[in-house]
Amino acid sequence: MIRRPPRSTPKPSSAASDVYKRQSLDRIKIFGNGSQVDLVQQLGGGWKEKSLNYEADILSIQDLLVNISKIVLGDLVTDNPDYHERFQLLDPPDKIELWEKERHGFALNLLRGDGTSIVYLLLGKERINGPGQYIRQAGSDKIYLIPEPLLIYSESGDWLKKELLALESEHIQRLDLEKEDNSSFSISRVDDKSEWVNETDNSELIEKSKINRALSRLEDLTFSKLYKNNEVTQELTEQNYKEGSLSVTLFDGSVFSLIFKKNVSVDENYLLSLRMGISLEASGNSDTNGSKLRKEMEEFNQRVNSRLFEISSWEAKELLFSD
């Protein structure tokens, strides 16, 4: 995989998926920049970031493997271990707290299921005069220059699959909103061709543009940061926040509940918790569709259970029908 072809014929390797499939890739460990990432392949496919216990973005992993498979070693710079520190290529420390930017680079370890390495790379400083990056393989003193730097995400959260919801707007039948000031309203429609109507007669129908913005956001809702299950944020510790909630009911009977939290003392992003349920009418069905819904509910809730997702203030405001 990491090779040095003749200078006259530098060619990249074959497709990364084929290369690493043959090598039984099971795990990817990244160590550096004061943090570490641990990506583990799951039974039946897919990847998970172990420290956060959350689904990883398969496209980011595929991009990394493709970029690794294209690495072509350039000139041998030195095989003197005394120069490892100079090129930020010292062996990684045992503890992440001992990592130093001026002495260490990134450690990238691709492992099989039995824990043995397929390839273990140390990525050092970038070349000052011109393109390139210094690199060596763990266990070897030889330092090479590669023509293009291999950029790697250093935070575990950067590897997560950020999509939260992708609800098709034509499938949404009802919206129930409770705002921060405790006001509330509900709108519904008979089918996806019908106009939205109020559930209560004593309130004005909300602007159509706000409804469309909320529907559009529900089609593509992503998060920027994930809080661990046992992580208590400052907003919640201080109990200094307001809440709003949105319930989204689909025509098939599935119901998605979104609860928003925001620190009122500063202008920060919102924290979001989610849960999926099934309407009483749909939950009584024992047909294939009902079984499918229950399976979807279990999988969704297992993924988001007891977690807080950070989303931007403008995304939250669209879903809360705020100006």
Side-chain angles (χ1 to χ4, degrees), residues 136-199:
R136 75 179 177 95
Q137 295 198 52
S140 171
D141 291 331
K142 294 180 180 180
I143 297 176
Y144 290 93
L145 181 69
I146 58 175
E148 296 292 335
L150 182 63
L151 302 179
I152 299 179
Y153 298 130
S154 61
E155 299 290 338
S156 56
D158 292 332
W159 291 91
L160 303 182
K161 183 178 180 181
K162 299 296 179 65
E163 293 81 8
L164 275 177
L165 287 177
L167 306 178
E168 296 184 33
S169 59
E170 61 266 26
H171 295 167
I172 298 176
Q173 186 266 334
R174 180 185 175 107
L175 298 172
D176 297 278
L177 176 69
E178 183 174 336
K179 304 191 74 171
E180 297 174 355
D181 58 3
N182 293 324
S183 62
S184 62
F185 68 84
S186 300
I187 56 175
S188 64
R189 56 184 177 178
V190 176
D191 54 50
D192 64 312
K193 306 298 182 183
S194 304
E195 294 293 329
W196 290 94
V197 296
N198 282 334
E199 288 295 305

Side-chain angles (χ1 to χ4, degrees), residues 20 44 281:
Y20 297 109
E281 180 180 350

